[in-house]
Each structure stands twice: as C-alpha cells, then as structure tokens.
Amino acid sequence: MFSKILIANRGEIAVRIIRACNEMGIHTVAVYSEADAEALHVNLADESYCIGPALLKDSYLNMTAIIDVAIATGCQAIHPGYGLLSENPRFAELCEKCNIKFIGPHWSVIAKMGDKDEARRTMKAAGVPVVPGLDEITDVAAAKKFAAEIGYPVIVKASAGGGGRGIRIVYKEEDFENAVLTASAEAKSAFGNGKVYLEKFLMDVKHVEMQIVADEQGNVVCLGERDCSMQRKNQKLIEESPCVALKPDVRQKMMEAAVLAAKTVHYTNLGTIEFLLDRQDNFYFMEMNTRLQVEHPVTEYVTGIDVVKWQIRIAAGMEFSSRQEDIRLRGCAIECRINSEDARNNFRPSCGKIALLHIPGGPWVRFDTAIYQDYQIPPYYDSMIGKLIVYAHDRTEAIRKMQAALCELVIEGVHTNAELSSDILAQPEFKDGSYCTNFLDKFLKNYH
Ligand code: MV4
C-alpha cells in the first residue's frame, strides 16, 4: 500500500480524497495555487505546496510542477480527482514515466475513451448498443444525406469533447452544414482536434450512467446506476440512484453492457459508462468517463462501498473484495450540487465571503464541501461549492429528507442555487421520476 499520495486537485474532491487517505493511514500532499492559500484541502493535508498563480494553466494544470512536488516529497501515487488532469492521458503517461502510480486507468485507455468517436466504434464492435449515427464526418455532403436518412433532429458531437462540450443539435436540414462546420471549428480551437461525428438526437430520454469498479486482476463489477437527467446546459444539477424509469430486467442488461464495455477496453480502477434510456426501454452507449465522478457519493450510499478508498487500493494492486453477486443496491440516494451562482440572475457566478454557514445533519445527511465560516470564495474556479447527499429507504422519504436538508442549509454571503433545487424537487415530474434531459431547460424558461 502507498505511504504517501499527492492529491492533484482542489475544493471538495481534494478534501474527500484526503479524508479517505487519513482513514487508510496514508500521508497526504496537497498542491495549491496562490489563490487557494486559505483553502481547506491545504489545511487538512499533511504537507502542502504552492505550485503557481491562480489561473488553472499556471497551477492545477501545470503537469511538471505537480510531478516535481510528487517526486520531491517521495509520493508513490497521484490522485487526480475529477476534471483538471484526471482524463489527460499525457499526464497519466508522465506519471508512469516518472514511476509514480496514476490512480486511474492506464493512459492508453484514457486516450481511447477520450476520443468519443473511437469510443463509439469500440463499443459498437463489442456489441454494446450505440445511438444510430455516423462515425467521423469526413464528407459533409455524405453526412447530410445520412442525416436525412435517420431523420432530424440530429446531434453533432466533437470527438475530443464530451460532457456536453462541442455538441450541436440540428433540427432542420438547412442548418446542417453550418452546424458541422462551426462544431468542428469550435472543437479545433477548444480541444486542438476538429473531428466530429453524428448521432440521431434522441428526445424524451434519461441520462443513466453505470458505475464500474475494475481491479488489476481482471475483476469487473458494476455498482448500479445514477440518473443524471436533471441537467442545465449539460451541467448536472441533481443526481439520484436508483433510476425510477429503469425496470429490473433493463437494469440487468444495462449493467451487463457496462461490464462488457469495461472488459472490452481492459479497464482498471473506477469508471462510468453513460447511457441514454428511451421510454421504450432501449438504451444506448453515449460515452465513458475514465475518472471518479462528482456524483460518486450517491453510489456510496446505495451500495455501502467507499469508492475512493477502492480507487487507492486497486491502484496499489489489491483485488476488489466484492463479486457482482455480492453487490446489494438498497434504498434511494439523491445528490444536489450546491453552486455559488445567482439562479435568478442568469446563473451569474457569485463570489465573496461566507458570512454565515450552517451545515444540515441527521441520519444519512452528507455535505461534501471545502467551504467554511468566513471562507472567501475565489473567482477563478468552478462554481460548485458543495454537494448535499441524502439516503433513505425509499424515494419519497429521500425527497423529504433532501427538502429538509436544503431548508436547513444556511450559506450567507453568496448567492446559491439551493432554493432552485428545492423548487425542482417539488415538481410533479421529479416526484414521479418522469423527468428527462430536456426538463430543466424547459422549467427554467418560466423560473423567476
Ligand atoms: C445525446 C442526447 C440525445 N441524443 N446524444 C449531453 C452531454 C453529453 N453527455 C452528451 N449529451 C447528450 N447526448 C444523443 N444522440 C442527449 C444528451 C444530453 C443532453 C443534451 C442536451 C441538453 C442536456 C442534456 C442532458 C443530458 C444528456
């Protein structure tokens, strides 16, 4: 087992990883930017090193600075968290070259799944259902013909994108060429790769993702699903498990498809397979995320498994202790992401000092955060300042528990979206679980 790990991240996920290390008796090294000198992860780590100024490119994305600290402090492994360098194959490869274990899959798998078009082709060849579409668009005229055959609307996606970046939904044929050219140009400038592909845009669907744990001994286990359909502009807002719309036999098939997908690419460590589920119980592979997800606590509650500790154990060569038949999915968990933004002012980011903080508690109420009383939220980073997660034996009780926790949560000094989340939970479409990926954008049109 590792004796010292560097956490190459910040905010709530850095705190989460440090806590897992503390429980495992592993020494922790934090890195931070000049803007994060007062951040909680800096205070909680055993050692902490400033790696540069506020901007991400000069600090948390500065691969050599991070590796230098890991080597200088004698770390055996680096945990990348999510976002930032967590899906950067060059960083994972650099760790390997420096003989530092990257806590995640092999860099070649990150690269392969990071090319969303290549991922689609791989899954299709393996027999995992994918959305009807066209792999890499090389001839716009031919692609336009194909779009007419599958019928509009269609969605153009950047191969190097993912998570909603570099996508364009096309409703009419006359908009097709322009959409392809602008999506490709945007992808070229954003990701350095203008490759785009085409899919039938599926409406009235759920975004359901399956959590995979794969050890280095070849065991691949699925820890169930998370319904992530409550999204605003491809930013997840509320996640839950189980997915109300997933029938037991369809769940079984989707879990098997997720395990097949992971085995196909010789996946190791934690990964998530994203699917789209339609109302006729058909599901289709969308993309694979080769990292820990923000919403992992939802799975931890319904399985009783600490997935961050297992990331570290698997990276250290340990075999995952559970087989698929040992996994019991019980009760219901809901997560609301708490963002410092003004939901009534076009979600403008809201920075400032936390004048008053009161964190809700009680049975199965969890608030993962890095904010504290009098903390000054810096303007440079993601607006998510915490995740409120609750667990209950059934969904009705979980919704009540979440509503009570949102009501008890006090964050004064900055605007947050807590009230919006509470209003969403009160909607009939949430209560009956019928909401789809297009619900929130519609709901917000009349929200004030
Ligand atoms: C789709 C889709 C419907 N049909 N692809 C969203 C981000 C990335 N994971 C891909 N996403 C989607 N891809 C096809 N063929 C629906 C989504 C989607 C979505 C799209 C627009 C607005 C919000 C969304 C929320 C979840 C999923």
Side-chain angles (χ1 to χ4, degrees):
M1 177 48 73
F2 309 121
S3 57
K4 188 184 278 195
I5 289 177
L6 183 146
I7 294 90
N9 215 303
R10 64 175 300 279
E12 67 89 15
I13 198 58
V15 170
R16 169 74 182 88
I17 297 162
I18 290 168
R19 285 172 174 157
C21 291
N22 288 346
E23 291 178 26
M24 297 172 78
I26 297 171
H27 198 92
T28 54
V29 174
V31 290
Y32 65 95
S33 69
E34 290 161 4
D36 270 344
E38 305 304 319
L40 184 59
H41 77 285
V42 175
N43 186 282
L44 291 181
D46 297 306
E47 299 173 48
S48 58
Y49 298 87
C50 183
I51 51 170
L55 293 183
L56 288 178
K57 68 177 178 62
D58 300 322
S59 50
Y60 296 105
L61 295 177
N62 183 338
M63 293 190 239
T64 46
I66 291 167
I67 295 269
D68 285 351
V69 172
I71 294 170
T73 56
C75 291
Q76 293 90 27
I78 290 179
H79 197 309
Y82 53 63
L84 298 176
L85 294 170
S86 65
E87 294 186 293
N88 184 319
R90 291 192 315 283
F91 180 65
E93 187 180 13
L94 191 57
C95 290
E96 183 183 77
K97 284 197 163 75
C98 297
N99 201 24
I100 295 172
K101 182 75 175 180
F102 178 83
I103 297 177
H106 189 259
W107 59 266
S108 60
V109 175
I110 297 173
K112 192 179 181 77
M113 292 299 101
D115 179 330
K116 303 304 175 187
D117 184 28
E118 169 72 16
R120 240 179 76 88
R121 277 198 289 261
T122 305
M123 297 307 161
K124 196 162 48 177
V128 176
V130 298
V131 182
L134 184 64
D135 298 337
E136 184 184 356
I137 297 177
T138 49
D139 172 344
V140 179
K144 186 174 178 181
K145 189 166 174 296
F146 184 88
E149 286 160 11
I150 61 174
Y152 286 86
V154 295
I155 184 168
V156 179
K157 294 181 175 178
S159 293
R165 296 171 307 157
I167 62 175
R168 270 260 184 316
I169 303 170
V170 189
Y171 292 94
K172 294 180 291 187
E173 185 168 50
E174 56 258 38
D175 301 333
F176 184 81
E177 272 110 339
N178 185 47
V180 170
L181 296 174
T182 46
S184 179
E186 272 173 24
K188 182 79 179 156
S189 63
F191 318 118
N193 173 349
K195 212 168 70 160
V196 291
Y197 62 100
L198 176 69
E199 290 180 342
K200 173 82 179 144
F201 183 65
L202 304 181
M203 312 233 269
D204 220 13
V205 287
K206 283 263 191 194
H207 171 138
V208 181
E209 58 187 32
M210 285 287 174
Q211 182 64 67
I212 285 289
V213 182
D215 61 28
E216 296 184 350
Q217 290 73 26
N219 301 302
V220 181
V221 175
C222 182
L223 299 185
E225 81 273 9
R226 294 180 292 259
D227 183 346
C228 300
S229 306
M230 195 59 76
Q231 300 192 22
R232 177 186 159 268
K233 299 195 183 326
N234 294 306
Q235 288 296 316
K236 296 167 184 171
L237 185 64
I238 299 175
E239 303 102 338
E240 63 174 308
S241 182
C243 169
V244 175
L246 205 49
K247 299 183 181 79
D249 59 324
V250 185
R251 173 178 292 109
Q252 182 63 30
K253 290 195 193 93
M254 195 185 276
M255 289 176 75
E256 287 165 2
V259 169
L260 173 61
K263 284 183 172 171
T264 301
V265 298
H266 309 296
Y267 199 82
T268 55
N269 214 279
L270 240 66
T272 294
I273 316 281
E274 290 186 351
F275 295 98
L276 293 169
L277 172 72
D278 70 17
R279 288 196 191 283
Q280 292 71 43
D281 295 331
N282 302 303
F283 61 83
Y284 306 92
F285 170 86
M286 197 159 45
E287 54 190 87
M288 178 171 198
N289 301 326
T290 56
R291 55 169 160 77
L292 176 67
Q293 305 247 167
V294 170
E295 57 271 22
H296 73 272
V298 163
T299 300
E300 295 189 314
Y301 260 145
V302 297
T303 61
I305 292 170
D306 181 322
V307 297
V308 174
K309 284 186 184 175
W310 273 107
Q311 280 194 288
I312 296 167
R313 293 183 186 123
I314 285 169
M318 279 179 69
E319 192 167 342
F320 186 45
S321 60
S322 303
R323 294 291 173 269
Q324 192 65 58
E325 55 273 20
D326 306 320
I327 302 303
R328 294 281 172 279
L329 304 173
R330 287 185 9 187
C332 175
I334 302 172
E335 174 181 274
C336 287
R337 298 190 188 198
I338 307 300
N339 302 324
S340 57
E341 59 192 15
D342 188 349
R344 296 183 186 281
N345 193 343
N346 199 25
F347 295 91
R348 192 171 47 83
S350 173
C351 313
K353 184 173 176 178
I354 304 293
L356 180 64
L357 175 65
H358 170 74
I359 295 173
W364 300 301
V365 175
R366 168 176 165 178
F367 187 55
D368 281 14
T369 188
I371 66 172
Y372 52 84
Q373 182 78 33
D374 299 330
Y375 174 63
Q376 181 77 28
I377 298 177
Y380 308 99
Y381 309 118
D382 188 84
S383 66
M384 191 180 80
I385 54 175
K387 301 168 335 194
L388 190 53
I389 313 103
V390 302
Y391 171 84
H393 296 305
D394 62 58
R395 190 167 184 268
T396 304
E397 191 188 345
I399 293 174
R400 278 207 202 103
K401 191 181 284 274
M402 179 58 84
Q403 289 283 36
L406 284 166
C407 186
E408 185 181 345
L409 176 66
V410 174
I411 302 178
E412 285 182 7
V414 293
H415 290 287
T416 77
N417 63 342
E419 188 185 349
L420 167 62
S421 292
S422 181
D423 292 343
I424 292 168
L425 289 171
Q427 297 307 305
E429 295 88 344
F430 187 85
K431 287 188 177 299
D432 66 18
S434 65
Y435 65 95
C436 287
T437 56
N438 57 1
F439 169 81
L440 188 51
D441 287 332
K442 272 189 310 187
F443 175 71
L444 289 172
K445 283 196 170 62
N446 310 314
Y447 186 71
H448 23 262

